[in-house]
């Protein structure tokens, strides 16, 4: 059984958000750091700090919650490309989630970026996940 770090990140954030937890602890890898930076830049996460414990690095992320009755800021995180089935798209066919309100995270030859950045740079890549 292989490790799917992206699925672990998405599942950790989704579970913490559903249970209205304030912080999430994610194992620190290059991919997880890039994804968390995108979530921080897009406003889904308030704060990120690096934490070391027993020679292992973790990212401790503070989730953003709404103050209304539901309290959830992230409605859905969905893993698209997975180890058994990779999904690729060129720059013209990158999907728009909720008419541009959602976010698509892609892995391109120039790093991990959002759908808007990939369209501006006219680059395609592997579609990692959807967030809305």
């Amino acid at each position: 059984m292989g490790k799917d770090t992206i699925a672990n990140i998405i599942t950790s954030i989704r579970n913490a958000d559903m249970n209205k937890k304030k912080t999430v602890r994610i194992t620190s890898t290059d991919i997880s750091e890039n994804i968390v930076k995108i979530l921080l830049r897009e406003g889904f996460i308030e704060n990120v700090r690096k934490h070391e414990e027993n020679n292992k690095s973790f990212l401790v992320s503070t989730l953003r919650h709404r103050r209304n009755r539901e309290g959830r800021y992230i409605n859905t995180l969905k893993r698209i490309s997975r180890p058994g089935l990779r999904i690729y798209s060129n720059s013209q066919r990158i999907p728009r989630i909720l008419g541009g309100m959602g976010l698509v995270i892609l892995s391109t030859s120039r790093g991990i970026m959002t759908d808007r950045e990939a369209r501006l740079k006219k680059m395609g890549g592997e579609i990692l996940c959807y967030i809305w």
Side-chain angles (χ1 to χ4, degrees):
M1 187 165 119
K3 292 183 180 179
D4 188 7
T5 58
I6 298 169
N8 291 341
I9 295 165
I10 290 171
T11 303
S12 298
I13 293 173
R14 184 186 317 120
N15 289 342
D17 190 48
M18 287 175 62
N19 291 323
K20 297 180 180 142
K21 301 251 180 174
K22 188 81 172 153
T23 61
V24 177
R25 194 170 95 164
I26 301 167
T27 305
S28 179
T29 62
D30 290 337
I31 294 172
S32 65
E33 287 181 15
N34 289 329
I35 290 174
V36 167
K37 283 179 189 176
I38 288 174
L39 293 175
L40 180 66
R41 188 175 62 227
E42 294 293 326
F44 292 106
I45 293 176
E46 284 183 8
N47 191 9
V48 177
R49 63 182 167 88
K50 204 163 192 174
H51 177 70
E52 273 199 41
E53 186 177 299
N54 298 333
N55 294 331
K56 292 183 181 180
S57 294
F58 296 100
L59 296 172
V60 179
S61 304
T62 305
L63 296 178
R64 178 169 285 173
H65 291 287
R66 288 192 177 139
R67 294 182 185 169
N68 64 3
R69 200 168 130 234
E70 261 190 50
R72 294 180 60 200
Y73 204 78
I74 301 172
N75 286 332
T76 304
L77 278 114
K78 186 174 182 183
R79 176 83 157 114
I80 301 303
S81 186
R82 50 193 167 95
L85 178 64
R86 303 286 185 185
I87 306 294
Y88 296 95
S89 177
N90 61 17
S91 62
Q92 290 88 19
R93 295 184 184 230
I94 297 172
R96 293 186 192 272
I97 306 301
L98 296 177
M101 296 293 289
L103 183 69
V104 178
I105 297 180
L106 293 114
S107 176
T108 66
S109 59
R110 293 193 185 150
I112 296 176
M113 60 181 70
T114 65
D115 56 337
R116 288 178 226 119
E117 294 169 347
R119 281 191 200 97
L120 285 175
K121 295 180 181 180
K122 296 186 179 175
M123 296 185 69
E126 181 182 355
I127 298 175
L128 299 178
C129 61
Y130 297 156
I131 302 170
W132 72 87

